Amino acid sequence: MDKPQIILHAQKSVNFTLFDCKWIPSSARFVALGNHPRKTGALHVYEMSHSKDGKAEMKLLHEAEKREAFRCGTFGASSLQQRHLATGDFDGNMRIWDLENTELPLYSVKGHDEIINSIDGIGGLGIGEGAPEIVTGSRDGSVKVWDPRQKESPVACMSPAEGEAKRDCWSVAFGHAHNQVDRCVSAGYDNGDIKLFDLRNMSLRWETNVKNGVCCVEFDRKDINMNKLVATTLESRFHVFDLRTQHPEKGFAKLSEKSHDSTVWLGRHLPQNRDVFMTLGGAGSLHLWKYEYPDKRVMKDSNDIDMGVAGTVSLLQNITLSTQPIGGFDWHPDKSGLCVCSSYDQNIRVLIVTKLARL
């Protein structure tokens, strides 16, 4: 009984397809994004409260319907005072919304020719040094970085060269924002490519291929010197890269693990402990993992060059909540163990993971 337990705290069924969910920082509220059957966008704001009989429930505070269907969202580039939500939609628009007044976006740009599959933010919420920025990854093959203070054009664009095949970018994530000038973006693609872009030098720092489409990439922390990257893929697999030591030929040390017996849709690190993360499966399952570092993270190869050493992972707990994939998941940034997830069975669930402080 010393293991963490995953407890269903509250559940709510909605009348639209859910694609993403995010806690509104420093609150008991969260936002759910998706699309209605008529192909319009759904944006709902819920608050956790208790019913008269003491049961936890989700209270709908606000709902908005927009012309374009929402695919993803982030608060990562907003201040804690404003808490503006940046969204990517099925028509390639990147927009920023004030959730107190969603009639019109505060910022809108036609960022991509096709759907924005993934979005991430940095420089807000007190996380990460430097300017606030938003990164978007699209089916059109490009990864673009936006400064919300600058209209129309991206501050960086990583696209296939002319004549190169366009690969569908499924996931993007910021990291390495540990000072005012350093910042990296990782991107995962449908053909198994993982790329690490250095925004300081505007160069491709590293790339690899993991043989299966990459559904999600995430750094264990955005605001530290690069430490670890989790990449989840099709065919029931995820990979953990140790980013502290890059070998000139072999790149970063990697651990691969089979999990879920289905597509691993997401990997999300616990904000209060970067070595604990949750993976979300295509059959409605959640697996809680802990990464253990090796005795030595660096060793010498035959040419006396430093190379990284991968650690191990242990499965702490698992639970199956649905028969459908869980496509959205977010840990609460302040309340350790509290999380919200959305699945394709049109249900939002709030969960509590216990005993995380003992790990």
Side-chain angles (χ1 to χ4, degrees):
M1 292 300 289
D2 282 341
K3 291 199 304 184
Q5 303 298 314
I6 302 173
I7 300 163
L8 180 61
H9 184 55
Q11 180 171 343
K12 189 174 187 69
S13 179
V14 297
N15 63 354
F16 61 93
T17 301
L18 290 155
F19 285 114
D20 204 1
C21 53
K22 288 283 185 288
W23 289 104
I24 299 173
S26 301
S27 78
R29 305 191 304 273
F30 62 86
V31 60
L33 300 169
N35 72 321
H36 292 290
R38 51 188 172 273
K39 302 287 178 69
T40 55
L43 188 159
H44 284 199
V45 177
Y46 295 93
E47 183 172 49
M48 292 304 300
S49 61
H50 287 89
S51 59
K52 289 178 182 176
D53 58 2
K55 286 184 179 177
E57 64 176 9
M58 304 173 204
K59 183 179 171 187
L60 180 63
L61 297 181
H62 176 74
E63 60 181 304
E65 184 173 354
K66 299 299 172 185
R67 193 172 64 185
E68 293 88 4
F70 291 108
R71 176 63 184 88
C72 48
T74 180
F75 288 98
S78 176
S79 70
L80 279 169
Q81 290 74 34
Q82 294 175 322
R83 294 183 285 190
H84 293 156
L85 176 70
T87 59
D89 68 31
F90 276 68
D91 282 6
N93 300 298
M94 194 281 282
R95 292 183 172 136
I96 299 175
W97 306 88
D98 179 354
L99 295 179
E100 302 296 323
N101 180 8
T102 56
E103 190 173 342
L104 290 171
L106 300 169
Y107 177 103
S108 180
V109 63
K110 172 72 171 165
H112 295 270
D113 297 331
E114 296 183 68
I115 179 176
I116 294 175
N117 289 315
S118 181
I119 190 169
D120 195 19
I122 192 75
L125 310 182
I127 298 171
E129 297 271 348
E133 287 181 334
I134 294 162
V135 62
T136 52
S138 168
R139 185 185 291 164
D140 66 13
S142 62
V143 173
K144 296 182 180 181
V145 179
W146 309 88
D147 185 330
R149 302 166 303 178
Q150 179 179 314
K151 294 283 186 184
E152 301 305 325
S153 56
V155 294
C157 178
M158 290 71 83
S159 298
E162 203 167 317
E164 268 186 18
K166 287 182 184 175
R167 302 309 318 194
D168 191 345
C169 179
W170 283 354
S171 182
V172 289
F174 275 118
H176 199 52
H178 62 103
N179 59 35
Q180 289 287 332
V181 290
D182 281 306
R183 195 167 280 186
C184 284
V185 165
S186 180
Y189 297 82
D190 66 338
N191 64 338
D193 281 348
I194 298 173
K195 299 187 179 186
L196 185 64
F197 301 104
D198 186 330
L199 297 183
R200 180 181 183 177
N201 299 316
M202 295 307 292
S203 63
L204 178 63
R205 178 166 176 171
W206 168 77
E207 62 181 326
T208 190
N209 187 282
V210 292
K211 296 189 172 69
N212 290 302
V214 179
C215 306
C216 175
V217 289
E218 188 181 74
F219 292 89
D220 60 354
R221 281 289 178 275
K222 296 179 182 182
D223 56 350
I224 60 171
N225 193 4
M226 285 191 304
N227 187 54
K228 298 195 305 296
L229 179 80
V230 165
T232 70
T233 71
L234 306 177
E235 305 291 339
S236 318
R237 214 162 256 292
F238 69 86
H239 309 271
V240 184
F241 295 90
D242 186 315
L243 302 180
R244 279 293 161 92
T245 307
Q246 183 174 359
H247 189 274
E249 292 172 8
K250 296 177 181 177
F252 297 111
K254 179 184 76 169
L255 155 79
S256 297
E257 187 77 17
K258 197 163 170 55
S259 178
H260 292 281
D261 292 325
S262 62
T263 295
V264 187
W265 281 74
L266 290 173
R268 292 285 183 252
H269 291 87
L270 181 69
Q272 295 80 13
N273 185 344
R274 69 186 184 195
D275 300 325
V276 175
F277 60 97
M278 188 83 82
T279 56
L280 295 304
S285 55
L286 293 87
H287 288 189
L288 183 69
W289 302 88
K290 185 167 193 291
Y291 183 86
E292 301 283 354
Y293 294 98
D295 292 335
K296 289 185 176 180
R297 291 182 70 177
V298 181
M299 60 182 286
K300 300 285 188 183
D301 69 2
S302 55
N303 296 317
D304 207 35
I305 298 171
D306 284 351
M307 59 188 289
V309 180
T312 58
V313 289
S314 53
L315 180 63
L316 299 175
Q317 192 54 268
N318 66 87
I319 188 172
T320 300
L321 295 174
S322 170
T323 56
Q324 298 294 317
I326 296 175
F329 182 93
D330 196 33
W331 292 106
H332 197 285
D334 308 312
K335 303 288 185 185
S336 182
L338 184 63
C339 50
V340 61
C341 64
S342 60
S343 57
Y344 291 135
D345 62 3
Q346 298 190 343
N347 272 275
I348 307 168
R349 296 172 176 89
V350 172
L351 312 171
I352 295 173
V353 184
T354 65
K355 301 180 182 173
L356 289 172
R358 299 183 189 177
L359 297 176

